[in-house]
Amino acid sequence: MKRCTTTLFSLLFILAVTSSAFGQITDVTIRDINAIDADSVAALNALGANLTAGDIPSKIFNDLVSDSVRFTAVVMSDPANSGLSTPDENGEPSRVHYFVRDTSAVAQGNDGMGIQIVDGAWRDTGSLNLLPGDVVEMVGTVGPFGTTMQIAPITINNLGNYEGLGLPASLLDAVSITTSDANMDMGNGTVQVNWNNLAALRGQYVSMSGVSVVQRDISSSRPDWLVSSDNAATVMNNYDTSLRVRNDRSDYSTTLFNPRT
């Protein structure tokens, strides 16, 4: 089965440093947060099939981890479509998940400019008031998750919709990729992250055209499937990770989340 699918995935250069009530805040682009040192990429590639899980973290994250940073970005997905976290005592998600893209992408390109926002304090920060297309100045803490970076927001200043700020609609466009851009063929039916592209693609809003579903498992409450652009030489996995709702979640009592339109 072939289809066109669009999804959100997820050189340290400090522009400025200021002090605030939150401590030191570093002004960055999201590309700075996602950056991976070229020597680290070379080391990962050199390990090849001998790479172990323990080799990875020290090479794919930079010195911004745990820092407070500030950047300006456009909201790419609806914070109200959050169905990943366990409901709290109020029957509401304990975290709100959404993606943003740095507005610097207009001049500098989309590579490395996307990141996931994971907001456990959404009642205070105003995340749930945001809509796709809103531009925000955000201060938050950088944290790694798996092979990606994410931001826990501290403050969010909504600057208005991208159109009113004179930004082009192309800022919200998906980046077209193939499965081999994200993962590489290691032989014997195995794949590995394409380390050359990880910094550019993590947190990225992408589209894949003409992919085939090459494997699926619908036996559990969380469907799992693999898609490929090249007859299964390389694949990408989707493990029931829709932003809207996790397939085994039906216990949110609030009407604030996952609206059907």
Side-chain angles (χ1 to χ4, degrees):
M1 178 174 63
K2 291 191 174 182
R3 63 188 303 180
C4 177
T5 182
T6 305
T7 187
L8 280 156
F9 272 85
S10 127
L11 303 175
L12 179 61
F13 179 55
I14 298 177
L15 301 179
V17 176
T18 61
S19 295
S20 78
F22 307 114
Q24 182 170 288
I25 297 174
T26 306
D27 286 314
V28 299
T29 66
I30 292 174
R31 181 177 290 167
D32 299 326
I33 299 170
N34 283 320
I36 302 173
D37 181 81
D39 289 341
S40 294
V41 173
L44 289 164
N45 284 325
L47 285 167
N50 295 318
L51 183 72
T52 67
D55 295 321
I56 298 171
S58 64
K59 296 179 175 62
I60 63 172
F61 302 122
N62 59 48
D63 292 341
L64 288 176
V65 170
S66 299
D67 282 4
S68 295
V69 298
R70 177 168 47 219
F71 54 85
T72 303
V74 63
V75 177
M76 300 292 289
S77 63
D78 191 342
N81 287 345
S82 291
L84 299 179
S85 72
T86 302
D88 61 17
E89 64 276 7
N90 300 312
E92 297 173 337
S94 53
R95 303 180 307 276
V96 165
H97 295 247
Y98 57 102
F99 285 79
V100 300
R101 176 179 285 163
D102 200 298
T103 56
S104 298
V106 173
Q108 300 179 27
N110 290 328
D111 284 1
M113 293 296 195
I115 201 164
Q116 183 176 190
I117 309 301
V118 181
D119 190 356
W122 56 268
R123 294 175 184 85
D124 301 317
T125 61
S127 277
L128 209 59
N129 297 323
L130 300 175
L131 294 171
D134 285 344
V135 175
V136 297
E137 181 185 76
M138 184 175 294
V139 174
T141 304
V142 179
F145 183 80
T147 56
T148 68
M149 290 289 216
Q150 57 190 31
I151 296 290
I154 299 169
T155 63
I156 301 171
N157 180 19
N158 189 345
L159 304 177
N161 185 269
Y162 76 94
E163 292 177 309
L165 296 171
L167 295 169
S170 58
L171 178 60
L172 281 76
D173 286 351
V175 175
S176 179
I177 68 166
T178 65
T179 52
S180 62
D181 291 325
N183 293 319
M184 53 187 175
D185 180 10
M186 300 301 291
N188 299 317
T190 62
V191 297
Q192 193 176 102
V193 172
N194 188 333
W195 305 111
N196 297 319
N197 295 334
L198 178 60
L201 292 181
R202 56 183 172 188
Q204 190 63 268
Y205 179 45
V206 303
S207 67
M208 294 180 288
S209 298
V211 294
S212 299
V213 177
V214 296
Q215 181 177 311
R216 68 174 184 170
D217 179 0
I218 57 174
S219 62
S220 73
S221 60
R222 300 196 69 185
D224 184 10
W225 65 93
L226 299 177
V227 298
S228 177
S229 302
D230 49 20
N231 297 315
T234 60
V235 296
M236 292 181 66
N237 174 244
N238 192 319
Y239 180 55
D240 188 30
T241 52
S242 164
L243 280 178
R244 177 175 288 279
V245 66
R246 225 173 74 177
N247 198 61
D248 61 349
R249 291 264 190 263
S250 60
D251 44 4
Y252 291 154
S253 63
T254 180
T255 58
L256 294 175
F257 292 90
N258 304 317
R260 278 7 185 208
T261 57

